[in-house]
Amino acid sequence: MSELLDKSDKRTKYCGEFTANDIGKKVCVMGWCQKQRDLGSLIFIDLRDRSGIIQLAFDENTPKEVYDKAFRTRSEYVICAKGTVRARGEAAVNKNMPTGEIEIAVEEYKILSSSLTPPFAITENSDVKPELRLKHRYLDLRRPDMQKRIMARSRLAKITRDYFEENGFIEIETPNLVKPTPEGARDYLVPSRVHPGSFYALPQSPQLYKQLLMLSGFDRYIQIARCYRDEDLRADRQPEFTQIDEEMSFVTQEDVIAINEGFLKRVFKEFLGKDIQTPLPRLTYAEAMERFGSDKPDLRFGYELVNLTETLRSTGFKVFADAIQSGGSVRAIKIDGGAKFSRKEIDSFAEFVKTYKAKGLAWYKFAEDSTFSSSYAKFLDESENKAVLEKMNAVPGDLILIVADSKDQIVFDALGALRREIAFKTGVIKSGDYKMLWVTEFPLLEYDEEDKRFYAKHHPFTMPMEEDLQYLDTAPEKVRAIAYDIVINGTEAGGGSVRIHVPEIQQKMFSVLGMQKEEYEEKFGFLLDAYKYGAPPHAGLAFGFDRLVSLLLEIDDIRDVIAFPKVQNASELMTGAPAPTDSKALSELGIAVVREE
Amino acid sequence: MSELLDKSDKRTKYCGEFTANDIGKKVCVMGWCQKQRDLGSLIFIDLRDRSGIIQLAFDENTPKEVYDKAFRTRSEYVICAKGTVRARGEAAVNKNMPTGEIEIAVEEYKILSSSLTPPFAITENSDVKPELRLKHRYLDLRRPDMQKRIMARSRLAKITRDYFEENGFIEIETPNLVKPTPEGARDYLVPSRVHPGSFYALPQSPQLYKQLLMLSGFDRYIQIARCYRDEDLRADRQPEFTQIDEEMSFVTQEDVIAINEGFLKRVFKEFLGKDIQTPLPRLTYAEAMERFGSDKPDLRFGYELVNLTETLRSTGFKVFADAIQSGGSVRAIKIDGGAKFSRKEIDSFAEFVKTYKAKGLAWYKFAEDSTFSSSYAKFLDESENKAVLEKMNAVPGDLILIVADSKDQIVFDALGALRREIAFKTGVIKSGDYKMLWVTEFPLLEYDEEDKRFYAKHHPFTMPMEEDLQYLDTAPEKVRAIAYDIVINGTEAGGGSVRIHVPEIQQKMFSVLGMQKEEYEEKFGFLLDAYKYGAPPHAGLAFGFDRLVSLLLEIDDIRDVIAFPKVQNASELMTGAPAPTDSKALSELGIAVVREE
């Protein structure tokens, strides 16, 4: 049976905090048994807490009752030990351990809890199946690497709040039980007990509330906010996720960018000890697509896109010619040293671009000995081949990869993804290298071929660029938004926009989105009303907090920076959520489960 | 049409921050028109932002176009003005305004937004119907008093996080989509799209997760956590509310109390500028009931309960005698100076105690001239009457109020509530007076007469007091818990307990609560499993954050410290949440609305 703590059991400090300065002191430590070693007449126990490990020593001078308990102690038993700090014998010093010079000669000892043998060892970088880790998350979180990550996340939250508070931002909590959004296909719904048949939604973001807070005159708002999205989970998505949510009044895009560059500067300095240079580079959306085939370009390496359309405009090679003649393009990337890739690897690249709807991948391998092999060279005439090599600045050792399509977007998507895919293979990306930029001037709208209508690319409250307002009626596809993303190492870490604060522009925006007056009045009436009572110009931004933590810690799986994450199918393996509930609870809510046969 | 900001429109500082030191400077201000006064050849505009007000001045030297726009400006128009700070003429100085000595002579002027006439004036303490305020919350929040409250709340959150961070607490986010609790009659349920027929619950508190975090070795946890409870709303309850949620490992009750006394000391000093003396007073639950008839006693005034049971044990007055003989009690409070209350007022007190199930209220009015009137004196003999007055230490001017009942709890509830009700009427409670205490040694269990079983008073994970463990099988009603509440001015500001970390005690607790092994294994299996792998002793506490803010600001209505609160019936008047949703969304979730006919 477990022993209980009493008031006199006061921990001196954490295990990892003892040093040679403590030698001779009577101390009390508490923690978990990392390892017990029984050497016959000696027992050693490594005692672990969140700070590290200290060695407990038991020998012939230890009271028998204490020695017997140490003898019985197994991994993960919870211990309270009192004793005297002493130097280890010279031979026993462990230089790999911060407390490796010392140990505690134990005089009093309580087993506060015993433990079954855990299903996996509580050690760093243990190679355990993710499902097992998540099922026993309370044990997984004991592992030192997980401890560090969760503590780092806490530190980042603190740095964030401190920075924004110093800059006059007010933390305001917005509701989590909100009105379902009209097209909220991805809303989590919450049935109301008081109003049967009515539902709350969990917010996909505090967007509307933070805009209303600007109308309320709070001027600068910050919230580390939980958001919810009910959709198929990708590797970096969770049904509930956290964002650093900001909004500012009486500002332009430049003010939002400046505040957030200051924030990133602070984070990189305090969190990683790195100085970053501001202002950060910027690319317009158009430039980013043209050069990197992506609106979240990874600047840690080159492999930029080159437009070969003009170079090959009069080619007889049908694959290229067709793409060009139907208004598309031929573009290429050059992989420095890429000639070392095998045919098999190049074939796998061709497979890769098909997932982005590219019909194929043309390639040219320029070997170190200046010979070449190519999938397309035989279809071009000599001058065309030469022109391509020149345009690409190709030198021996390079690999040229070409995509042609009648749709520019497919060319961009395929090559944009491919350059990053290959970069991870060539090792051109170095750990600890951070490349950030702003992408600006996003298109305001996206045309959906299927629905035959425009959708807002960011959201319907995004302000068009002033110089493009003129096209809103006549050529909406040309209108650029005052919207900006912050991209770190090829990942969108955050994004935002200047909002529409002028009711007339908002109404026009709704019209462009195909809504009649009655429709948008019904859907957004309270918001449109609010804007009639004096709205300040305002703009904001949100960082994906989980994503920012994982970027800073260079962790691929976002679940490793969340204490209790859900898996791909949105369930939590430890508790088994979600779960069926009893029909009484449902009938009180006025709903029933409908089973499809 | 609204004018837009451009990059050159940079606010110098907030309106309320200008002083005579700025005289002569060219400045730019932005904000809302609080008031426009047109004096013929002069126009004044009070421009408001979150910091305060500055006066804009327009006269014959103002460019005509600017003057015309100022002329058109109405209340709540949003303005960007540039000009030069100057001293006001001596006669125009407004001593009631921090910026009352100065004004800005405006040279450039943009109307960024116009405004309809708001449905109520944007002024402090405006006497507007709560429903109207909440419907136009974005306007209500513009009022300076609401601005101050929401900003104060933000400041309290900052103080809280700083304090706990300095004390080694780690902020960890726990999930908001959790497994429904087995008896979660008050859970909000969230249907799962991926698992039709299954539900998440929104957490009533992070209780289980924070305990698991202690098992994970994080040692000290803090979260300002959103919690959800689907129940009929009382004045101080919201369907979603915020708590300061804490948990600590390797501690006893004393450590939790010490940390939180340090927190309150910090809060009162930094937030209110008050020094509070620690350690705070403590009362056991039994003492609190005996003296104040309440487990959340208000110590700002006396009116303590006096037990007259022994004094009246042999009385012939049936009302008192019956109560005593059936094992109940007769208790009284004395209201100093209460003889001034009229019969009508005393009758209203009698009505008041009936809401607490008391059958009546006996009273004795001891007038200043030493005459008396009484509802019961004629039924007692002279010595009994004398004994009561002596026991009550009554002096002329006092009012004695007596409740007798066969159930002590009814006597306590009635008098406990009555003493506070009367204190609000006598004016004995002074603004700015704070009286805090800890209430400890709560009963572990409550017996429910209807269900004929015990329920956990705090929650089923609360540790019994060690000396009472022996009664757990034989006399569970006698067992006290290691549980503690922090009470401020008669309100439970927070509460917590030491948790059961010993599986055997936890299992016994479930048995006492009437659960068989299969039942608790099914309901809490994952938790019981977790405790088998080495659980540290742990304990925690949670403050109601909304309530703490309202206590510190001395605000009765908790809705006044929440930016977007819900009303009594759990709806939000501004957006109309909750709302019906379309059947397509429901069928995707595999549920249907069932209408009762």
Side-chain angles (χ1 to χ4, degrees):
Chain A
M1 173 80 176
S2 311
E3 296 171 273
L4 299 177
L5 281 184
D6 59 51
K7 283 189 214 175
S8 71
D9 298 324
K10 288 268 182 212
R11 178 166 52 187
T12 310
K13 53 185 172 181
Y14 286 120
C15 297
E17 294 173 349
F18 288 92
T19 67
N21 292 332
D22 295 303
I23 288 171
K25 289 186 190 152
K26 291 261 182 197
V27 301
C28 172
V29 290
M30 308 196 199
W32 283 261
C33 171
Q34 178 70 30
K35 189 165 64 180
Q36 184 255 38
R37 279 164 297 148
D38 177 9
L39 311 181
S41 59
L42 292 174
I43 295 173
F44 295 106
I45 286 176
D46 281 351
L47 194 71
R48 185 195 72 233
D49 64 19
R50 77 183 203 194
S51 72
I53 281 176
I54 184 98
Q55 178 168 292
L56 308 181
F58 306 81
D59 56 28
E60 67 276 11
N61 298 318
T62 307
K64 179 165 187 324
E65 180 225 17
V66 169
Y67 194 92
D68 288 349
K69 283 198 248 178
F71 180 80
R72 292 203 316 269
T73 299
R74 295 286 168 273
S75 289
E76 300 311 311
Y77 276 38
V78 181
I79 302 303
C80 171
K82 295 179 185 175
T84 306
V85 180
R86 69 184 178 200
R88 295 194 195 180
E90 207 164 312
V93 166
N94 182 344
K95 295 229 147 98
N96 296 321
M97 231 173 121
T99 62
E101 291 176 72
I102 51 171
E103 63 188 14
I104 297 172
V106 177
E107 291 138 27
E108 293 177 53
Y109 191 84
K110 283 184 178 176
I111 295 179
L112 301 173
S113 292
S114 59
S115 172
L116 302 178
T117 303
F120 48 84
I122 309 302
T123 53
E124 200 128 349
N125 303 317
S126 67
D127 182 24
V128 183
K129 268 178 44 185
E131 291 70 24
L132 193 63
R133 287 177 52 196
L134 289 169
K135 184 166 165 51
H136 299 275
R137 188 61 158 181
Y138 43 90
L139 295 177
D140 188 39
L141 287 171
R142 283 185 196 168
R143 299 191 305 110
D145 38 1
M146 285 306 298
Q147 292 257 315
K148 279 177 211 144
R149 288 167 196 167
I150 300 298
M151 290 195 236
R153 181 184 175 112
S154 172
R155 207 165 74 246
L156 185 62
K158 185 70 170 54
I159 293 169
T160 302
R161 292 205 179 88
D162 286 350
Y163 175 81
F164 285 100
E165 195 261 348
E166 287 164 28
N167 283 282
F169 285 73
I170 299 167
E171 179 183 347
I172 304 179
E173 294 175 67
T174 53
N176 277 349
L177 294 171
V178 306
K179 192 180 178 189
T181 49
E183 283 148 357
R186 299 178 302 179
D187 276 351
Y188 277 106
L189 293 178
V190 183
S192 160
R193 189 186 310 265
V194 185
H195 307 271
S198 283
F199 294 82
Y200 303 98
L202 301 179
Q204 294 187 28
S205 89
Q207 189 62 37
L208 295 186
Y209 286 100
K210 72 175 174 174
Q211 293 187 205
L212 290 170
L213 287 170
M214 295 303 100
L215 268 59
S216 297
F218 286 103
D219 206 81
R220 293 184 162 205
Y221 146 92
I222 172 80
Q223 187 181 199
I224 299 188
R226 198 74 60 86
C227 305
Y228 306 85
R229 207 170 291 163
D230 190 3
E231 62 186 345
D232 293 338
L233 304 172
R234 284 179 271 151
D236 58 350
R237 281 278 169 87
Q238 287 280 319
E240 47 180 323
F241 56 98
T242 303
Q243 68 186 36
I244 302 172
D245 196 49
E246 318 160 17
E247 196 78 7
M248 303 166 74
S249 290
F250 298 111
V251 294
T252 64
Q253 166 180 293
E254 296 311 312
D255 301 288
V256 179
I257 284 181
I259 275 285
N260 282 288
E261 289 189 346
F263 170 59
L264 288 169
K265 215 175 167 70
R266 169 83 68 95
V267 165
F268 274 79
K269 187 67 186 173
E270 288 194 13
F271 196 82
L272 293 181
K274 280 181 187 291
D275 287 303
I276 60 168
Q277 292 308 314
T278 54
L280 296 173
R282 295 191 198 180
L283 287 175
T284 65
Y285 173 87
E287 288 166 340
M289 296 309 283
E290 190 68 30
R291 289 178 51 194
F292 303 96
S294 169
D295 58 2
K296 34 184 196 283
D298 193 331
L299 302 191
R300 288 175 296 177
F301 53 91
Y303 310 164
E304 291 194 22
L305 275 63
V306 176
N307 191 344
L308 299 176
T309 310
E310 288 315 310
T311 313
L312 296 169
R313 183 162 289 284
S314 47
T315 183
F317 179 37
K318 196 169 153 43
V319 170
F320 295 167
D322 282 359
I324 294 168
Q325 274 149 38
S326 50
S329 61
V330 181
R331 288 164 207 262
I333 55 175
K334 180 188 69 177
I335 310 301
D336 317 277
K340 69 174 191 299
F341 282 114
S342 68
R343 266 303 295 272
K344 204 176 150 197
E345 285 168 313
I346 294 172
D347 287 347
S348 78
F349 301 156
E351 279 307 307
F352 179 83
V353 296
K354 282 184 190 160
T355 59
Y356 295 88
K357 298 189 187 160
K359 293 186 195 74
L361 183 70
W363 54 270
Y364 186 102
K365 222 168 135 168
F366 198 177
E368 292 288 356
D369 62 3
S370 290
T371 63
F372 74 91
S373 54
S374 172
S375 69
Y376 67 81
K378 59 179 174 288
F379 303 114
L380 301 189
D381 65 29
E382 198 183 327
S383 70
E384 284 167 348
N385 268 317
K386 187 152 170 271
V388 167
L389 292 184
E390 265 171 23
K391 182 89 180 169
M392 299 303 297
N393 280 318
V395 295
D398 285 351
L399 171 69
I400 296 171
L401 299 168
I402 303 178
V403 172
D405 203 281
S406 59
K407 290 200 175 115
D408 277 353
Q409 194 59 49
I410 289 177
V411 179
F412 287 140
D413 289 348
L415 287 177
L418 182 61
R419 67 181 279 279
R420 200 151 185 256
E421 172 76 4
I422 293 176
F424 285 114
K425 287 193 201 299
T426 59
V428 70
I429 296 174
K430 302 287 176 233
S431 168
D433 184 22
Y434 287 93
K435 287 287 187 298
M436 280 172 266
L437 79 156
W438 293 100
V439 177
T440 62
E441 301 185 18
F442 278 82
L444 182 69
L445 302 155
E446 275 176 324
Y447 191 74
D448 187 292
E449 296 286 353
E450 206 167 305
D451 296 357
K452 305 247 177 279
R453 53 159 282 201
F454 284 103
Y455 285 91
K457 191 166 168 73
H458 193 59
H459 57 58
F461 314 108
T462 302
M463 188 71 134
M465 285 177 69
E466 199 174 350
E467 62 212 87
D468 292 355
L469 273 173
Q470 52 181 322
Y471 305 120
L472 207 45
D473 292 316
T474 53
E477 70 283 355
K478 287 173 75 170
V479 180
R480 291 163 300 164
I482 315 182
Y484 32 81
D485 277 359
I486 175 76
V487 175
I488 304 179
N489 291 354
T491 297
E492 181 200 328
S497 65
V498 173
R499 326 301 183 185
I500 300 172
H501 73 283
V502 182
E504 294 85 348
I505 299 177
Q506 187 64 63
Q507 285 167 25
K508 184 169 283 187
M509 181 71 179
F510 285 137
S511 300
V512 173
L513 294 174
M515 282 188 244
Q516 302 300 313
K517 191 168 180 0
E518 304 80 56
E519 188 181 354
Y520 64 67
E521 285 287 353
E522 195 208 315
K523 288 180 175 173
F524 298 104
F526 82 94
L527 191 74
L528 291 171
D529 274 353
Y531 276 81
K532 290 174 187 157
Y533 293 99
H538 53 296
L541 184 138
F543 281 96
F545 186 66
D546 311 292
R547 204 174 292 179
L548 188 59
V549 179
S550 67
L551 277 169
L552 293 169
L553 298 178
E554 298 187 279
I555 288 173
D556 292 331
D557 189 344
I558 209 164
R559 296 182 302 188
D560 278 345
V561 299
I562 297 173
F564 299 102
K566 295 190 174 57
V567 293
Q568 195 91 5
N569 70 2
S571 61
E572 195 199 358
L573 299 183
M574 183 180 68
T575 61
T581 187
D582 54 86
S583 53
K584 181 162 166 283
L586 294 183
S587 80
E588 276 184 25
L589 294 172
I591 61 170
V593 170
V594 185
R595 302 225 175 264
E596 306 250 333
E597 297 304 312
Chain B
M1 173 79 174
S2 310
E3 295 171 274
L4 299 177
L5 282 184
D6 59 52
K7 284 190 216 175
S8 71
D9 298 324
K10 290 267 183 212
R11 178 166 51 186
T12 309
K13 52 185 173 181
Y14 287 120
C15 297
E17 293 173 348
F18 287 93
T19 67
N21 291 333
D22 296 303
I23 288 170
K25 290 185 189 153
K26 290 260 179 196
V27 300
C28 173
V29 290
M30 307 196 199
W32 284 259
C33 170
Q34 177 71 29
K35 191 166 63 181
Q36 185 254 42
R37 280 164 297 150
D38 178 8
L39 310 181
S41 61
L42 291 175
I43 296 174
F44 295 107
I45 287 176
D46 281 351
L47 194 71
R48 184 193 73 235
D49 64 20
R50 75 184 204 193
S51 72
I53 280 175
I54 184 97
Q55 178 168 292
L56 307 181
F58 307 80
D59 57 26
E60 67 276 12
N61 297 318
T62 306
K64 177 163 190 322
E65 180 224 18
V66 170
Y67 194 93
D68 287 349
K69 284 198 246 177
F71 180 80
R72 291 204 314 269
T73 300
R74 296 286 169 272
S75 289
E76 300 310 313
Y77 276 37
V78 181
I79 301 303
C80 170
K82 295 179 184 173
T84 307
V85 180
R86 69 184 180 201
R88 295 194 196 182
E90 207 164 314
V93 166
N94 181 344
K95 295 230 148 95
N96 296 321
M97 231 174 125
T99 62
E101 290 176 72
I102 51 173
E103 63 188 14
I104 298 172
V106 177
E107 291 139 28
E108 294 177 53
Y109 191 85
K110 284 184 179 177
I111 296 179
L112 301 174
S113 294
S114 58
S115 173
L116 302 179
T117 303
F120 49 83
I122 309 301
T123 53
E124 200 128 349
N125 304 316
S126 68
D127 182 24
V128 184
K129 267 178 45 185
E131 291 69 26
L132 193 62
R133 287 177 52 196
L134 289 170
K135 185 164 165 49
H136 300 274
R137 188 60 159 181
Y138 46 89
L139 295 177
D140 188 40
L141 288 172
R142 282 185 197 170
R143 299 191 303 110
D145 37 2
M146 285 306 298
Q147 293 257 316
K148 280 178 209 142
R149 289 167 195 167
I150 300 299
M151 290 195 235
R153 181 183 175 114
S154 172
R155 208 165 75 246
L156 185 62
K158 186 71 171 52
I159 294 169
T160 302
R161 292 205 178 88
D162 287 349
Y163 174 81
F164 285 100
E165 195 259 348
E166 286 164 29
N167 284 281
F169 285 73
I170 299 167
E171 179 182 348
I172 305 178
E173 293 175 67
T174 53
N176 276 349
L177 294 170
V178 305
K179 192 181 176 188
T181 49
E183 283 148 356
R186 300 178 303 180
D187 276 351
Y188 277 106
L189 292 178
V190 184
S192 161
R193 190 185 310 265
V194 186
H195 308 270
S198 283
F199 294 81
Y200 302 98
L202 301 179
Q204 295 187 28
S205 88
Q207 188 63 35
L208 295 186
Y209 286 100
K210 71 176 174 174
Q211 294 187 204
L212 290 171
L213 288 170
M214 295 303 100
L215 268 60
S216 298
F218 285 104
D219 206 81
R220 294 184 161 204
Y221 146 91
I222 172 81
Q223 186 181 198
I224 299 187
R226 198 73 60 85
C227 305
Y228 305 85
R229 207 171 289 162
D230 189 3
E231 63 186 346
D232 293 338
L233 303 172
R234 286 179 270 151
D236 58 351
R237 282 279 169 85
Q238 286 280 319
E240 48 180 321
F241 56 99
T242 302
Q243 67 187 36
I244 303 173
D245 196 47
E246 317 161 18
E247 196 78 6
M248 303 166 75
S249 292
F250 299 110
V251 294
T252 63
Q253 166 180 293
E254 295 311 310
D255 300 288
V256 179
I257 285 181
I259 276 285
N260 282 289
E261 289 188 347
F263 170 59
L264 288 169
K265 215 175 166 69
R266 169 82 67 95
V267 165
F268 274 79
K269 186 67 188 174
E270 288 194 13
F271 196 82
L272 294 181
K274 280 181 189 290
D275 288 302
I276 59 167
Q277 292 307 313
T278 53
L280 295 174
R282 295 190 197 181
L283 287 175
T284 66
Y285 174 86
E287 289 166 340
M289 296 308 283
E290 191 67 31
R291 289 177 51 193
F292 302 97
S294 168
D295 59 2
K296 33 183 197 283
D298 193 331
L299 302 190
R300 288 176 295 178
F301 53 92
Y303 310 165
E304 291 194 23
L305 275 64
V306 175
N307 191 343
L308 299 176
T309 309
E310 288 316 309
T311 313
L312 296 169
R313 183 162 291 284
S314 47
T315 183
F317 179 36
K318 198 170 150 40
V319 170
F320 294 169
D322 282 358
I324 294 169
Q325 275 149 36
S326 52
S329 61
V330 181
R331 288 164 207 262
I333 56 175
K334 182 187 72 179
I335 309 301
D336 317 278
K340 69 173 192 299
F341 282 113
S342 69
R343 266 304 295 273
K344 202 175 154 198
E345 284 168 314
I346 294 172
D347 287 346
S348 78
F349 300 156
E351 279 307 306
F352 179 82
V353 296
K354 282 183 189 160
T355 59
Y356 295 87
K357 298 190 187 159
K359 294 188 195 72
L361 183 70
W363 54 270
Y364 186 104
K365 223 168 136 168
F366 198 176
E368 292 287 357
D369 61 4
S370 291
T371 62
F372 74 90
S373 54
S374 171
S375 68
Y376 67 80
K378 58 178 175 286
F379 303 114
L380 301 189
D381 65 26
E382 197 183 330
S383 71
E384 285 167 347
N385 267 318
K386 190 156 169 265
V388 168
L389 291 184
E390 265 172 23
K391 181 86 181 171
M392 299 301 298
N393 280 319
V395 296
D398 285 351
L399 172 67
I400 296 171
L401 299 168
I402 304 179
V403 173
D405 203 280
S406 60
K407 289 198 175 120
D408 277 354
Q409 194 60 50
I410 288 178
V411 180
F412 287 141
D413 289 349
L415 287 177
L418 183 60
R419 68 181 278 279
R420 199 151 185 257
E421 173 75 6
I422 293 176
F424 284 114
K425 288 194 200 297
T426 59
V428 69
I429 295 174
K430 302 288 176 229
S431 169
D433 184 22
Y434 287 94
K435 288 286 187 300
M436 279 173 266
L437 79 157
W438 292 98
V439 178
T440 61
E441 301 185 18
F442 278 81
L444 182 69
L445 301 156
E446 276 177 325
Y447 191 74
D448 186 292
E449 297 284 354
E450 207 168 304
D451 297 357
K452 303 253 177 270
R453 51 157 285 200
F454 284 103
Y455 284 91
K457 191 166 167 74
H458 193 59
H459 56 58
F461 314 108
T462 302
M463 187 72 133
M465 285 176 68
E466 199 175 351
E467 61 211 90
D468 292 355
L469 274 173
Q470 51 181 324
Y471 304 122
L472 205 47
D473 291 317
T474 54
E477 70 283 357
K478 285 172 77 170
V479 179
R480 291 163 299 165
I482 314 182
Y484 33 80
D485 277 359
I486 175 77
V487 176
I488 303 179
N489 292 354
T491 297
E492 180 199 329
S497 65
V498 173
R499 325 301 182 185
I500 300 172
H501 73 284
V502 182
E504 294 85 348
I505 300 177
Q506 186 65 64
Q507 285 168 25
K508 184 169 281 186
M509 181 71 180
F510 284 139
S511 299
V512 173
L513 294 173
M515 282 189 243
Q516 303 299 312
K517 191 167 182 354
E518 304 80 58
E519 188 181 354
Y520 64 67
E521 285 288 351
E522 196 209 315
K523 288 180 174 173
F524 296 105
F526 82 94
L527 191 74
L528 291 171
D529 275 353
Y531 276 81
K532 289 174 187 158
Y533 293 99
H538 54 295
L541 185 137
F543 281 96
F545 186 65
D546 310 292
R547 203 173 293 180
L548 188 60
V549 179
S550 67
L551 276 168
L552 292 169
L553 298 178
E554 299 187 278
I555 287 172
D556 292 331
D557 189 344
I558 209 163
R559 296 182 301 189
D560 278 346
V561 299
I562 298 173
F564 300 102
K566 296 190 173 58
V567 294
Q568 195 92 3
N569 70 2
S571 61
E572 196 199 355
L573 300 183
M574 181 180 69
T575 60
T581 187
D582 55 89
S583 54
K584 180 160 167 285
L586 295 184
S587 80
E588 276 184 26
L589 294 172
I591 61 169
V593 170
V594 185
R595 300 227 175 263
E596 306 248 335
E597 296 305 312

